[in-house]
Amino acid sequence: MQVAELRPRLITFRVAAFQSDNRVEDSGSPWSLELQQEIQVGLAVPTDSNGPLQAIVKITLGAQAHSEQAASQTASFKGEYVAKFHYPPGITESAVTPLLDQEPHQYLLVAQAFPLAMSHFRRELQSTGFDARQLPLGV
């Protein structure tokens, strides 16, 4: 079980980039949507001794859409997201490093950042005309 004193706090979440290409007018035909995701978790050590240790979660979401009636009709989407977490003051790198290798600690971080990333990604897909309700909000 994880010690509560080592639990980081989400400080910032931002959309680093979002790109979409959807040049097809909606004809009412069904589309298939394939989602790819890449999630990276890392530790940022401050350069000065007063700064907090940070856990950083980078999430890249990509989707390719294809019309089921016309194979030439495609659309693509890519979003990059970054979440930063601060560990409490006084926590050392040697205490945190083993935690980042453990799946429960990684899940603690990713489970907070992923729904934020996916909410934005779904909203952007919907703004380009796609019904993205079937995409998951959680990990």
Side-chain angles (χ1 to χ4, degrees), residues 32-67:
S32 63
L33 188 66
E34 181 182 323
L35 178 70
Q36 306 88 31
Q37 65 185 24
E38 180 182 335
I39 301 173
Q40 299 174 342
V41 179
L43 181 65
V45 180
T47 55
D48 64 12
S49 60
N50 295 331
L53 285 174
Q54 290 183 348
I56 298 176
V57 176
K58 292 183 180 180
I59 299 172
T60 302
L61 299 172
Q64 299 295 322
H66 304 279
S67 171

Side-chain angles (χ1 to χ4, degrees), residues 21-117:
D21 184 16
N22 179 18
R23 300 184 189 279
V24 180
E25 288 191 36
D26 184 19
S27 62
S29 65
W31 286 69
S32 63
L33 188 66
E34 181 182 323
L35 178 70
Q36 306 88 31
Q37 65 185 24
E38 180 182 335
I39 301 173
Q40 299 174 342
V41 179
L43 181 65
V45 180
T47 55
D48 64 12
S49 60
N50 295 331
L53 285 174
Q54 290 183 348
I56 298 176
V57 176
K58 292 183 180 180
I59 299 172
T60 302
L61 299 172
Q64 299 295 322
H66 304 279
S67 171
E68 292 180 3
Q69 292 182 348
S72 64
Q73 294 181 342
T74 63
S76 62
F77 309 92
K78 184 177 180 183
E80 297 176 16
Y81 306 90
V82 178
K84 292 184 181 180
F85 298 81
H86 282 187
Y87 285 94
I91 301 298
T92 64
E93 181 180 1
S94 61
V96 172
T97 301
L99 290 174
L100 286 176
D101 292 334
Q102 297 175 7
E103 187 175 331
H105 192 73
Q106 292 175 12
Y107 184 81
L108 170 93
L109 299 169
V110 173
Q112 293 178 66
F114 189 84
L116 298 172

